[in-house]
Amino acid sequence: MTAQSTQTAPTEATAPQHGAEVIVPLNQLKASPKNARKTPHSPATIEAFAASIKAKGVLQPPVVEVERDGEGVPTGNYLVTIGEGRRQGLRLLAKRKAIKRTHPVRCIVDAENDAHEISLDENMTREAMHPADQFEAFQRLAEERGYGAEEIGARFGVSAHVVRQRLRLGAAAPELMAAYRAGALALDQLMAFCVSEDQNRQRQVFEQLGEYRPVHAIRRAMTEAKVAVGDRRVRFVGVEAYEAAGGGILRDLFTEDGGGWLEDVVLLDRLVGEKLTGLADEARGREGWKWAEAALEYPDLSAFGRVYPVAVERSEADAAEIAALSEEYDGIVSEAGDDGLSPEADARLEEIDKALQAFGPDFAYAPEARARAGVMVMLGHDGLARFERGLVRAEDVPADPPSPWSEEEAADDGADGGAQAGADAPHEGGAALSDRLLIDLTAHRTMGLRDAVQADVNAALATVVHALVLQVFYPGYGVWTPLQLRLTTTGLERLAPGWTTCPAGRRVRDRCEAWGARLPERPQDLWGVVAALAPSDQLDLMACCAGVGLYAVRDPHDRRPGALAQAETLATAVGLDMTGTWSATAASYFTRVAKPKVLEAVTEAAGAQEAGRIAGFKKADMAEAAERLVEGKGWLPAPLRTVSDAAEPEEPGAEAPSDDDAYSFAAE
């Protein structure tokens, strides 16, 4: 072959022959209209061509044909039949001023074959190298040539992140790579194994899982001794603090969010404990509590007594000033027009805010309460610290007053005390009554008390409220009532983390705190307060306590079909609508159920067409798409739906639901 310059347009006589090698200026190379590839190369592909050419030159010369005008005369330009991607890569380098527009390009002339056919042949009769070969080739460049991810990426036109992925895959255990080449392992499975570079662990998990190797199971097994960056402990401490303390992180190179796992769990837990303890000590010093503790897990707070904040006593002058400032604030806000407040009004509102804040909160813990109570700082489900204030340890609970049945009190009270003590007071001779007689007499007294309470509706209401309040607001004092009414309050934090931050949870907590501020600190003073309340307030307080005592969790280990059925009846009676306190999101529902359940929810909320559109998505993508599709539609899963009042009643004599029927929701 002979090289020929094309600085001047060739004539028919000087046109290069078939198979000739020619040097053509870049600006004289043109795309061929006969190219079989009509879909243009992607920007990423052109970028890769440019990077390769810049690092190594054009390794394979393009195949060209002489361009001719309408009369068949050579124009001096050449049409690229094979190598259009290389031409585009050269043009990109010229655009970036890396080479000149007239950069010489070595080409091969084809003057005999049909240009369209050889273009088609070039694109069909070739097979891309197996990805495993590519992964190992990148690994070899890194090991033998010492290239880093950035340099390899620059030489092949891919990002350094992609190179790191391929290097990690290239370092997989040989057994895994062989299985991948043989088709026994898919790429997403190989990536799941390669979240960790530990080849021994890769082999171990590969053997343990056998032929059934779902991606999520592989990833979980490879990281079971580590903590995901999305864990609440990590959100609380912060990745930066963990790394600063010397902790190592296993980065996930194969997810879009670039997450990973913290490898030193002991260090993480120590950092969490230290931060919680610091917050507890700070709260104790700032607020004046007797004690402060930190807890990683949510403790059983029913073991503690409680004190509540009380209304702050203010002087008449302070109360009048607060009222005046509040009235002025409301007046400024109410006068705001469509354009909002003026700068002067905004400035005045800020001044009023500062003045009101200077008075402090309307409710606060009394100094004597803080002197015997404490604060516990816990790590919430959302990675934020939660403060439980006003907790009283058993040893700090005020001693119970002397029993009215004791001989000592009877002696101290004299005649009056004997009247109050009732049948257990010593008789005139000084000898105590026999146990049998005492039981007989007090049984008659109990019947008399029943009769009297039944005849006094107000006393009956106060008795019930008193008994409930003792058990809800004064744990440990439930035996202080003669009413045989037992209320169990079960915490839900362990069952459903985050319930306190949902709308319903906040409302329940606010009601309890509001009543706690109105109730006396000592349980022995409770009756006087409850009896003095208006009947409407007694009913509100009873509703508050009754609500706290409800428990309708469908737990397979707590088989109470009758109670659960009654919970459904109660939900219908009160018109329970969970759409105002719970919504279906990827985190709350869709990532926690199988794909058919996700599609079922989308079908019900948005229609079968939308469900069909996401049916082929991967689980994580499907969950996120489902969240968007059901948003604002008020969709609820079956366990959260309230049975309609219009539901047809059961046939008379129908069998009661079995335990299995009662727990059908749980099975779903």
Side-chain angles (χ1 to χ4, degrees):
M1 293 187 298
T2 60
Q4 177 178 338
S5 172
T6 58
Q7 294 299 324
T8 59
T11 64
E12 188 63 39
T14 60
Q17 301 301 306
H18 176 75
E21 180 181 295
V22 295
I23 304 299
V24 183
L26 175 60
N27 60 354
Q28 289 184 276
L29 290 176
K30 300 171 66 175
S32 172
K34 299 178 182 179
N35 195 317
R37 183 191 290 272
K38 301 304 180 184
T39 303
H41 292 87
S42 68
T45 300
I46 296 174
E47 187 72 47
F49 274 123
S52 176
I53 293 170
K54 183 178 180 181
K56 300 173 283 289
V58 180
L59 300 178
Q60 184 177 1
V63 176
V64 300
E65 66 171 328
V66 177
E67 184 188 47
R68 300 176 184 275
D69 60 19
E71 298 179 358
V73 178
T75 64
N77 296 323
Y78 290 81
L79 303 176
V80 178
T81 305
I82 298 174
E84 175 61 18
R86 280 157 273 170
R87 187 183 78 89
Q88 293 286 356
L90 286 164
R91 285 168 56 86
L92 181 59
L93 291 174
K95 182 178 179 180
R96 293 175 176 173
K97 309 298 184 184
I99 60 175
K100 295 181 179 180
R101 293 177 59 253
T102 58
H103 181 78
V105 182
R106 184 168 61 93
C107 303
I108 303 297
V109 176
D110 189 304
E112 295 181 358
N113 296 304
D114 178 72
H116 180 268
E117 181 178 347
I118 64 174
S119 172
L120 178 62
D121 192 292
E122 167 72 10
N123 286 283
M124 286 186 59
T125 56
R126 63 178 177 179
E127 181 178 1
M129 67 188 304
H130 194 282
D133 298 330
Q134 184 185 123
F135 303 154
E136 292 181 341
F138 271 46
Q139 184 74 11
R140 182 174 177 179
L141 285 175
E143 293 177 351
E144 296 182 0
R145 304 294 295 276
Y147 291 160
E150 288 75 11
E151 185 170 358
I152 294 175
R155 297 178 71 86
F156 289 91
V158 294
S159 68
H161 179 68
V162 170
V163 175
R164 292 189 187 95
Q165 288 180 326
R166 295 175 183 175
L167 291 175
R168 178 72 65 83
L169 292 169
E175 295 86 346
L176 271 66
M177 195 64 76
Y180 176 49
R181 279 197 169 92
L185 205 63
L187 179 58
D188 58 349
Q189 292 174 310
L190 181 64
M191 290 191 295
F193 277 109
C194 289
V195 296
S196 171
E197 297 178 278
D198 187 344
Q199 291 190 355
N200 291 330
R201 181 58 179 166
Q202 291 174 358
R203 295 187 186 95
Q204 184 181 24
V205 173
F206 184 74
E207 294 173 359
Q208 287 176 346
L209 294 181
E211 294 184 1
Y212 179 67
R213 306 184 188 97
V215 172
H216 70 274
I218 298 171
R219 194 179 296 271
R220 182 174 62 244
M222 292 299 301
T223 60
E224 62 184 359
K226 302 173 178 59
V227 178
V229 293
D231 187 272
R232 64 191 180 110
R233 291 170 290 176
V234 182
R235 296 201 300 271
F236 178 64
V237 172
V239 174
E240 296 79 6
Y242 169 80
E243 289 183 306
I249 297 182
L250 174 62
R251 293 293 183 185
D252 188 353
L253 300 179
F254 306 105
T255 56
E256 293 183 2
D257 59 5
W261 294 266
L262 278 64
E263 298 180 302
D264 195 337
V265 183
V266 175
L267 172 62
L268 175 63
D269 286 342
R270 178 172 64 80
L271 293 175
V272 171
E274 290 175 353
K275 187 172 181 178
L276 287 173
T277 301
L279 292 174
D281 292 341
E282 180 183 349
R284 179 186 181 187
R286 182 180 64 250
E287 301 173 16
W289 298 104
K290 178 179 181 180
W291 57 269
E293 284 187 5
L296 177 59
E297 300 297 335
Y298 199 86
D300 183 8
L301 298 181
S302 63
F304 295 91
R306 279 276 195 179
V307 294
Y308 292 90
V310 296
V312 176
E313 295 185 4
R314 304 190 188 279
S315 65
E316 292 185 3
D318 286 349
E321 185 175 354
I322 291 173
L325 289 171
S326 300
E327 184 177 354
E328 181 184 358
Y329 189 99
D330 294 339
I332 294 175
V333 172
S334 64
E335 293 174 358
D338 295 337
D339 298 332
L341 297 173
S342 65
E344 295 77 11
D346 273 332
R348 179 54 185 160
L349 288 181
E350 291 184 8
E351 292 176 1
I352 296 175
D353 274 333
K354 292 180 180 178
L356 290 174
Q357 291 174 10
F359 286 103
D362 292 332
F363 290 86
Y365 291 93
E368 57 272 18
R370 293 196 301 270
R372 62 185 180 85
V375 57
M376 187 168 287
V377 185
M378 295 155 288
L379 182 57
H381 76 286
D382 51 4
L384 300 176
R386 286 190 53 195
F387 292 77
E388 287 287 348
R389 296 176 171 86
L391 302 177
V392 181
R393 290 169 170 162
E395 61 267 24
D396 294 324
V397 174
D400 293 347
S403 170
W405 302 97
S406 66
E407 295 183 3
E408 294 80 3
E409 180 176 346
D412 291 341
D413 290 345
D416 291 340
Q420 293 175 2
D424 196 31
H427 60 69
E428 293 179 357
L433 300 178
S434 68
D435 291 343
R436 186 68 193 88
L437 177 59
L438 185 61
I439 291 173
D440 182 278
L441 295 175
T442 53
H444 282 279
R445 179 181 173 84
T446 298
M447 185 56 68
L449 190 59
R450 289 179 179 179
D451 178 44
V453 171
Q454 283 184 342
D456 189 337
V457 175
N458 292 331
L461 176 60
T463 301
V464 172
V465 174
H466 178 261
L468 294 176
V469 172
L470 280 175
Q471 296 171 78
V472 172
F473 289 90
Y474 304 89
Y477 289 89
V479 296
W480 280 39
T481 172
L483 184 62
Q484 293 176 300
L485 178 64
R486 293 293 173 260
L487 181 70
T488 300
T489 58
T490 304
L492 300 177
E493 183 67 23
R494 294 181 183 274
L495 305 178
W499 69 269
T500 55
T501 58
C502 73
R506 290 195 298 268
R507 290 191 293 268
V508 169
R509 189 183 184 94
D510 290 345
R511 292 189 191 103
C512 290
E513 290 184 350
W515 271 112
R518 296 178 61 180
L519 298 175
E521 184 178 345
R522 301 195 314 160
Q524 55 266 36
D525 298 332
L526 178 61
W527 175 261
V529 173
V530 170
L533 290 174
S536 60
D537 283 344
Q538 289 181 345
L539 289 172
D540 286 342
L541 180 53
M542 184 175 68
C544 179
C545 295
V548 171
L550 287 172
Y551 189 78
V553 175
R554 293 182 179 271
D555 184 347
H557 302 291
D558 181 13
R559 304 183 69 81
R560 303 175 302 141
L564 294 173
Q566 183 60 32
E568 295 300 323
T569 302
L570 180 58
T572 302
V574 299
L576 177 63
D577 182 3
M578 288 297 296
T579 58
T581 191
W582 187 93
S583 58
T585 64
S588 69
Y589 186 76
F590 294 119
T591 58
R592 304 169 68 180
V593 297
K595 281 187 175 182
K597 279 292 183 185
V598 177
L599 296 177
E600 177 184 314
V602 174
T603 300
E604 293 179 359
Q609 184 176 357
E610 293 291 352
R613 189 171 62 82
I614 67 172
F617 286 14
K618 292 183 178 180
K619 179 61 181 295
D621 296 334
M622 180 184 288
E624 293 180 2
E627 177 179 340
R628 294 192 296 270
L629 289 171
V630 305
E631 184 178 4
K633 302 293 178 61
W635 181 87
L636 295 171
L640 296 185
R641 299 176 188 174
T642 299
V643 179
S644 171
D645 289 330
E648 295 185 3
E650 295 183 2
E651 292 289 335
E655 291 185 7
S658 67
D659 287 351
D660 292 337
D661 292 335
Y663 280 85
S664 61
F665 283 158
E668 291 181 355

